[in-house]
Amino acid sequence: MNILGLEMSGYFDEDINSQLQVLSPTGLKYVDSMPLAQRLENFGEIFRRNIGGLVLSDDLSPPKELLGLAQKRQMPVLSTPL
């Protein structure tokens, strides 16, 4: 499991393939501050790495563009109250 942080800015140092990725409230707030094109590019790169799925903490709702990319890749997106 990996908490998305630097990856959301486009920096990938570690191999995140096959791992569940967690997006926290702080991460989502950062994502919401990005221009749409940058969000699409960064989420696209995350999904191209064949992650195990995306989990949004604190009952967060995923952005529409994230759901669109996830559906194209048949990638699970889950939300949890934890």
Side-chain angles (χ1 to χ4, degrees):
M1 190 175 296
N2 178 56
I3 298 174
L4 291 171
L6 289 174
E7 296 87 358
M8 291 312 309
S9 69
Y11 178 79
F12 295 88
D13 185 36
E14 295 185 22
D15 183 19
I16 62 171
N17 292 354
S18 302
Q19 294 180 10
L20 283 175
Q21 304 300 307
V22 178
L23 187 57
S24 68
T26 303
L28 188 58
K29 186 174 181 181
Y30 175 67
V31 167
D32 287 341
S33 74
M34 293 178 190
L36 178 59
Q38 184 179 3
R39 278 185 281 185
L40 291 171
E41 181 178 331
N42 293 351
F43 278 132
E45 181 60 31
I46 289 166
F47 287 131
R48 277 191 288 281
R49 292 174 178 267
N50 297 317
I51 62 173
L54 183 66
V55 178
L56 290 96
S57 65
D58 298 279
D59 276 333
L60 295 173
S61 296
K64 290 178 185 177
E65 63 273 9
L66 185 150
L67 284 179
L69 289 169
Q71 287 174 347
K72 286 180 185 176
R73 291 274 186 181
Q74 297 181 340
M75 190 72 55
V77 176
L78 310 167
S79 183
T80 179
L82 303 176

